């Protein structure tokens, strides 16, 4: 049984997971890793409604917007270009904080899968375990890697939480180690390490973004007009894939098989 809900974008009203109700700290992980507006990144109207929805049920909570960029452009400049600073000024909520995941102390989180693909443990901000509720707020993108479709939504959005200093490869601006030997396999580890610790997911399908190749910031926006929410990241992503009319990536199927196997 799933609690995944589909709403029309213009009338989207966010109902947070129960873990957010009365919470003291909620972490919102938005897809804001590139200095390119929606649908390459999550739309600010959707992010705004998520923040307001959390505030409605957690009036005293510290709400932490936590992201790590994947570009040569600095975190501060990316947030400025995307209009995040203007959004926070508009909301004028003293309990809202915007933090760069790359600058925070991190710790090792255990992979809960019985069959890790590459990583038994993965480094991510220690702050994650200090929250009462965690919500992934993603856009929807399709790129192509090694001839296979790669869907980026609520699960792939978690890549921004992994410190580049730990997971860099040739470029210090990216997380190249998370693409070796195969991003589809690493995403299984990402789900069973961090994804299972998230209580909520939101996928902004106002538009889907279809990349021409492997580049996640160059392609075509296609209107869909929906927002998908729920408490299970895999279920939300699969519903978004269905609504978008896109092929299901290999990592979704591997995660589903491992969950059935217990």
């Amino acid at each position: 049984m799933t609690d995944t809900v589909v709403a029309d974008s213009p009338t989207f009203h966010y109902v947070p997971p129960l873990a957010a109700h009365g919470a003291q700290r909620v972490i919102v992980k938005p897809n804001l890793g590139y200095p390119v507006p929606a649908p390459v990144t999550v739309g600010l109207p959707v992010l705004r409604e998520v923040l307001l929805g959390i505030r409605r049920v957690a009036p005293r909570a510290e709400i932490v917007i936590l992201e790590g960029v994947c570009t040569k452009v600095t975190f501060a400049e990316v947030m400025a270009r995307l209009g995040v600073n203007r959004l926070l000024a508009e909301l004028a909520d003293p309990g809202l904080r915007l933090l760069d995941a790359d600058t925070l102390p991190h710790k090792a989180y255990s992979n809960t899968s019985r069959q890790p693909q590459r990583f038994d443990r993965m480094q991510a901000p220690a702050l994650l375990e200090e929250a009462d509720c965690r919500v992934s707020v993603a856009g929807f993108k399709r790129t192509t890697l090694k001839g296979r479709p790669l869907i980026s939504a609520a699960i792939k959005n978690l890549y921004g939480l992994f410190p580049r200093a730990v997971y860099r490869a040739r470029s210090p601006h990216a997380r190249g180690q998370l693409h070796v030997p195969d991003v589809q396999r690493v995403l299984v580890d990402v789900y069973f390490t961090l994804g299972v610790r998230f209580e909520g997911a939101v996928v902004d399908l106002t538009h889907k973004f279809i990349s021409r190749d492997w580049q996640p910031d160059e392609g075509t926006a296609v209107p869909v007009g929906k927002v998908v929410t729920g408490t299970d990241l895999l279920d939300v992503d699969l519903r978004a894939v269905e609504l978008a009319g896109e092929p299901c990536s290999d990592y979704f199927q591997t995660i589903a098989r491992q969950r059935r196997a217990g």
Side-chain angles (χ1 to χ4, degrees):
M1 184 175 179
T2 179
D3 62 358
T4 298
V5 174
V6 179
D8 293 329
S9 297
T11 57
F12 171 52
H13 179 80
Y14 186 52
V15 179
L18 288 177
H21 291 235
Q24 295 303 304
R25 176 181 285 153
V26 179
I27 290 178
V28 174
K29 166 53 180 83
N31 176 208
L32 299 171
Y34 296 88
V36 184
V40 171
T41 49
V42 69
L44 292 189
V46 169
L47 178 58
R48 181 182 189 276
E49 174 54 27
V50 169
L51 296 174
L52 291 174
I54 293 169
R55 180 56 75 212
R56 284 191 290 267
V57 302
R60 296 180 177 83
E62 176 189 48
I63 302 175
V64 178
I65 303 169
L66 183 62
E67 174 63 304
V69 300
C70 188
T71 172
K72 295 179 181 179
V73 182
T74 67
F75 177 87
E77 181 61 22
V78 170
M79 298 304 126
R81 291 190 196 180
L82 292 177
V84 178
N85 298 338
R86 291 194 302 273
L87 173 62
L88 296 182
E90 172 197 333
L91 293 176
D93 184 337
L96 279 177
R97 297 176 65 197
L98 175 63
L99 296 181
D100 180 354
D102 272 326
T103 67
L104 300 180
H106 48 82
K107 59 159 286 183
Y109 290 87
S110 297
N111 188 336
T112 63
S113 170
R114 293 182 179 178
Q115 297 176 291
Q117 301 293 299
R118 181 184 175 196
F119 297 103
D120 293 324
R121 293 152 67 86
M122 299 186 77
Q123 297 285 332
L127 185 67
L128 286 170
E129 69 174 359
E130 299 169 12
D132 302 300
C133 180
R134 292 145 284 257
V135 182
S136 175
V137 185
F140 185 97
K141 294 180 279 190
R142 187 195 78 203
T143 54
T144 302
L145 290 177
K146 300 180 180 179
R148 293 181 293 164
L150 176 64
I151 299 297
S152 297
I155 296 172
K156 179 67 166 60
N157 180 41
L158 302 184
Y159 260 43
L161 294 173
F162 298 102
R164 288 182 290 181
V166 175
Y167 293 103
R168 60 170 289 185
R170 287 176 295 179
S171 169
H173 308 295
R175 300 170 180 84
Q177 290 297 325
L178 300 185
H179 291 258
V180 179
D182 182 353
V183 67
Q184 305 255 9
R185 290 179 56 192
V186 174
L187 276 164
V188 178
D189 287 341
V190 167
Y191 174 79
F192 283 104
T193 302
L194 290 192
V196 294
R197 292 176 163 88
F198 271 67
E199 289 81 10
V202 179
V203 175
D204 180 6
L205 255 181
T206 304
H207 292 82
K208 63 179 181 179
F209 184 78
I210 307 302
S211 172
R212 293 191 294 268
D213 46 34
W214 57 271
Q215 299 180 82
D217 57 350
E218 296 183 16
T220 304
V222 179
V224 180
K226 302 293 183 182
V227 179
V228 188
T229 66
T231 60
D232 185 297
L233 273 66
L234 179 62
D235 285 350
V236 170
D237 278 0
L238 289 174
R239 186 72 177 105
V241 166
E242 180 184 4
L243 287 167
E246 293 296 328
C248 192
S249 291
D250 295 349
Y251 73 94
F252 293 134
Q253 298 162 348
T254 304
I255 292 169
R257 283 197 301 271
Q258 290 199 16
R259 293 207 318 186
R260 287 195 297 269

